[in-house]
Amino acid sequence: MSVFKVFSATQDVNSVFILFLVICVSLLVLVTSFMLYFVFRYSRKRNTSSEDIAGNLFLEITWTVIPTILVLIMFYYGWAGFKSMQGTQKDVMSVKVTGRMWSWLFEYENGIKSDILSLPFGEPVKLTLISEDVIHSFFIPAFRVKMDAVPGMKTRLFFTPKELGNFDAFCAEYCGQGHSSMLAKVRVIKKEEFERWYEAKGTAEKGEEEKKAPDLKGAELVRLKGCIACHSIDGSMKVGPTFKGIFEREITVITSGKEREVIADEEYLRKSILEPASDLVKGYPPIMPPQGSMLSQEELSDIIEYLKKLK
Ligand code: CUA
């Protein structure tokens, strides 16, 4: 196996960090000590006349070769860590991660879709990242892993969770007004527990999805599609207007620069999801991306059914 095999994110990022820290602090101490020494030793008080030194081959070579070696060592470990996060192993669990303004969606090979990333403890995992709009960056500080999600491109992130519990994932690339709310939970559970969840949820998704009432499906979609990153369902303030009691409420909108009053009926809700900028609720920025390409007709109807019931 390649030398990169010894690497596995968290521990290794920590070791590399400590190595870099030691190198940098040593250099700082060395340079500062010399500087202080020279300031003292070669002050004008002690040396009234200056000397003309033409050059010193030994010194020149020393201060070129040593930093070059140090920089190459740092490069090697940085590169090895990067390679390990790119992953070379084939038969590992794979999760598709979709970033969009402003939420994350996790999709498993058996069809499970979730806004929480559940992972088995101690098992290597490969995330495939894509973006539906702009550049995002998926960051799990606890595991020291981060990778950009770039529109039109697939990126990979490979790591092994070695701690049980709940962790935070962030978006680490400024992606617009809702950037700070682009959070997700990462849940690391024991392998057996994970397998039970994986099997049970996978079958449930297939069987029960058909039977569910539209508004319940809508409630799920609003979470999975990330709507609630910007629209609260309890009336609290967020980037966009709250969903609470939205249906048939009288609202002031801006249509082509002019204010007007409308009733948020079914037609209005549908239009606002497909063309958010056309009748913009007064006081809110025109930042919502049109959702037409991200929702099927059925999903759209389910979401509207759900919104109607949110009193
Ligand atoms: Cu997505 Cu910041």
Side-chain angles (χ1 to χ4, degrees), residues 243 245-249 264-266 269 307-308 310-311:
F243 282 156
I246 180 77
F247 187 55
E248 294 193 324
R249 190 200 290 158
D265 54 8
E266 193 170 328
L269 292 178
L307 294 182
K308 280 180 173 177
L310 263 184
K311 297 289 174 215

Side-chain angles (χ1 to χ4, degrees), residues 94-100 103-109 112 114-119 125-132 136-140 147-150 153-159 169-171 182 184-186:
S94 161
V95 183
K96 186 174 144 199
V97 180
T98 307
R100 72 276 228 238
S103 68
W104 298 103
L105 174 68
F106 307 104
E107 289 171 81
Y108 292 79
E109 279 159 334
I112 297 179
S114 175
D115 56 345
I116 296 174
L117 178 60
S118 299
L119 297 172
V125 58
K126 187 179 97 180
L127 306 182
T128 306
L129 297 110
I130 58 163
S131 166
E132 281 178 357
H136 304 277
S137 183
F138 187 68
F139 180 32
I140 314 176
M147 183 50 69
D148 281 5
V150 184
M153 199 176 149
K154 274 185 184 164
T155 48
R156 279 184 301 165
L157 182 57
F158 182 93
F159 64 99
F170 298 94
C171 177
M182 208 169 156
K185 276 266 166 282
V186 183

Side-chain angles (χ1 to χ4, degrees), residues 100 102 104 134-137 171-176 179-180 182:
R100 72 276 228 238
W102 285 279
W104 298 103
V134 297
I135 300 179
H136 304 277
S137 183
C171 177
E173 181 83 52
Y174 183 69
C175 54
H179 162 72
S180 61
M182 208 169 156

Side-chain angles (χ1 to χ4, degrees), residues 76-285:
Y76 170 78
Y77 283 108
W79 176 248
F82 174 75
K83 285 300 277 187
S84 88
M85 284 178 204
Q86 287 295 291
T88 43
Q89 282 133 290
K90 288 260 172 343
D91 50 349
V92 298
M93 188 180 82
S94 161
V95 183
K96 186 174 144 199
V97 180
T98 307
R100 72 276 228 238
M101 296 154 146
W102 285 279
S103 68
W104 298 103
L105 174 68
F106 307 104
E107 289 171 81
Y108 292 79
E109 279 159 334
N110 69 349
I112 297 179
K113 289 183 184 178
S114 175
D115 56 345
I116 296 174
L117 178 60
S118 299
L119 297 172
F121 170 78
E123 295 292 314
V125 58
K126 187 179 97 180
L127 306 182
T128 306
L129 297 110
I130 58 163
S131 166
E132 281 178 357
D133 35 55
V134 297
I135 300 179
H136 304 277
S137 183
F138 187 68
F139 180 32
I140 314 176
F143 300 152
R144 314 283 188 270
V145 289
K146 176 156 73 175
M147 183 50 69
D148 281 5
V150 184
M153 199 176 149
K154 274 185 184 164
T155 48
R156 279 184 301 165
L157 182 57
F158 182 93
F159 64 99
T160 307
K162 288 185 177 152
E163 210 175 318
L164 287 166
N166 292 314
F167 306 92
D168 296 313
F170 298 94
C171 177
E173 181 83 52
Y174 183 69
C175 54
Q177 199 138 3
H179 162 72
S180 61
S181 57
M182 208 169 156
L183 309 166
K185 276 266 166 282
V186 183
R187 181 171 75 117
V188 181
I189 48 183
K190 292 213 185 80
K191 198 183 171 194
E192 309 81 66
E193 197 186 332
F194 176 83
E195 274 164 4
R196 272 200 304 274
W197 169 83
Y198 193 73
E199 294 300 321
K201 188 121 198 294
T203 351
E205 300 265 311
K206 279 192 207 89
E208 279 167 30
E209 202 48 36
E210 302 301 307
K211 285 182 264 160
K212 251 196 226 167
D215 61 311
L216 287 181
K217 281 198 252 178
E220 175 95 353
L221 284 166
V222 160
R223 211 161 41 81
L224 289 179
K225 299 281 174 184
C227 313
I228 53 173
C230 301
H231 304 277
S232 75
I233 52 175
D234 59 2
S236 57
M237 279 286 287
K238 279 194 174 179
V239 176
T242 182
F243 282 156
K244 191 180 183 202
I246 180 77
F247 187 55
E248 294 193 324
R249 190 200 290 158
E250 194 179 282
I251 48 174
T252 309
V253 296
I254 314 286
T255 309
S256 330
K258 283 199 190 69
E259 266 185 42
R260 66 188 188 105
E261 303 289 318
V262 296
I263 299 290
D265 54 8
E266 193 170 328
E267 191 195 347
Y268 171 80
L269 292 178
R270 186 174 295 265
K271 197 173 174 203
S272 298
I273 297 171
L274 297 175
E275 303 162 48
S278 61
D279 297 312
L280 192 70
V281 179
K282 193 185 166 197
Y284 290 94

